[in-house]
Amino acid sequence: MYDEVLQEIELDKDWRNLELKKIEIICQKLDNQDLNQLILKSTIPMIYAHWEGFVVSSLRKVNNYLNSSNFQSSALHINLLTNAYEESIKNLESSLGYEKRVKHLSIIFEKLTNKVGFSSKVDVKSNLKFNVLQEICYKFNLNINSFTEYERDLDRVLHIRNSIAHGENAYTFEKYEEIVIYINLLSNLMDTFHTEISNFFNNKKYLKGFDL
């Protein structure tokens, strides 16, 4: 049952929130300002890692559920169907020569006549900013409008994270209050994503004929 999937996603969300809560406890106990700054700065990449990890982990659970349900291609929403066969479609598009196009089209046709299989790989392009989230939502027929209010802050977190990851020293944080907004952002994003997946299951948005 999909209730188990939602429960697993909820538990995943809870431990991520709990881990980031420990940052506040550590900062309260540390008297060394230099160490505090180091911990606060390293929290930004951690926030992003939890964001990407949560989305990837959640969608893998969704894909596993869909695979275990043994859906035929004719039953699925076109967005989900395209998602399942995306690699095959890419191969067809890039085929050079008529024989190769025939071969790849035959592979797609064979897949369409069998039960749908979703990949365990979820590609977030190692840069899960808003436009990538938008594409993911489209692939899984989720409502991107639920995330619109977080677009600016999400992209800012990605910008800061990328700067830190590339060894730049443009960002420093003096106190916990300066990063708590990004911790709260992560919590809100995960809550919203969990809600969207819940709607996905409750409203059977994976099935043919359901449109936002």
Side-chain angles (χ1 to χ4, degrees):
M1 291 292 292
Y2 67 77
D3 288 341
E4 295 178 4
V5 177
L6 294 175
Q7 186 177 15
E8 288 176 7
I9 294 173
E10 181 77 26
L11 290 172
D12 186 35
K13 176 166 65 75
D14 288 345
W15 84 259
R16 294 178 191 278
N17 281 326
L18 183 60
E19 183 162 285
L20 285 168
K21 179 67 176 176
K22 294 175 182 176
I23 300 296
E24 180 181 9
I25 297 172
I26 292 170
C27 289
Q28 288 173 346
K29 292 183 176 181
L30 272 180
D31 293 328
N32 188 307
Q33 183 63 18
D34 289 338
L35 281 177
N36 252 322
Q37 289 181 0
L38 181 62
I39 290 171
L40 292 174
K41 187 174 182 178
S42 65
T43 301
I44 297 297
M46 185 187 297
I47 289 170
Y48 174 76
H50 276 303
W51 166 232
E52 180 177 314
F54 178 73
V55 171
V56 170
S57 175
S58 298
L59 294 180
R60 279 177 180 162
K61 291 177 174 64
V62 171
N63 283 346
N64 288 339
Y65 172 84
L66 295 173
N67 285 336
S68 67
S69 299
N70 295 319
F71 287 112
Q72 296 289 338
S73 296
S74 58
L76 288 179
H77 191 280
I78 188 62
N79 291 25
L80 275 293
L81 195 61
T82 305
N83 183 13
Y85 299 140
E86 185 173 15
E87 288 304 314
S88 296
I89 294 170
K90 286 179 180 178
N91 289 335
L92 178 61
E93 289 177 340
S94 61
S95 295
L96 298 176
Y98 190 77
E99 289 185 7
K100 286 188 176 180
R101 288 195 288 271
V102 169
K103 177 183 177 181
H104 289 306
L105 184 58
S106 297
I107 292 172
I108 293 175
F109 182 76
E110 182 179 354
K111 288 183 176 182
L112 287 171
T113 57
N114 293 312
K115 294 174 182 177
V116 181
F118 289 85
S119 172
S120 60
K121 180 183 178 182
V122 178
D123 184 14
V124 295
K125 303 178 181 178
S126 299
N127 216 21
L128 189 47
K129 52 187 177 180
F130 188 81
N131 67 329
V132 178
L133 177 63
Q134 189 171 26
E135 181 178 314
I136 288 171
C137 285
Y138 187 69
K139 287 181 177 181
F140 284 87
N141 204 25
L142 306 178
N143 187 5
I144 187 59
N145 293 329
S146 300
F147 300 91
T148 303
E149 64 180 292
Y150 307 119
E151 178 178 1
R152 182 176 178 181
D153 288 338
L154 175 58
D155 285 353
R156 177 162 176 77
V157 167
L158 265 291
H159 177 74
I160 298 173
R161 172 259 187 181
N162 289 341
S163 295
I164 294 172
H166 294 151
E168 298 176 16
N169 197 31
Y171 295 95
T172 57
F173 302 92
E174 301 291 334
K175 51 188 178 179
Y176 176 76
E177 287 73 19
E178 294 177 34
I179 66 159
V180 70
I181 56 172
Y182 300 118
I183 292 175
N184 291 338
L185 170 67
L186 172 66
S187 181
N188 291 332
L189 283 168
M190 291 193 298
D191 283 342
T192 305
F193 201 77
H194 181 267
T195 298
E196 279 304 307
I197 292 177
S198 180
N199 291 337
F200 172 84
F201 283 124
N202 291 331
N203 296 316
K204 295 182 170 59
K205 295 173 69 173
Y206 46 84
L207 294 180
K208 185 177 181 180
F210 189 100
D211 291 310
L212 295 174

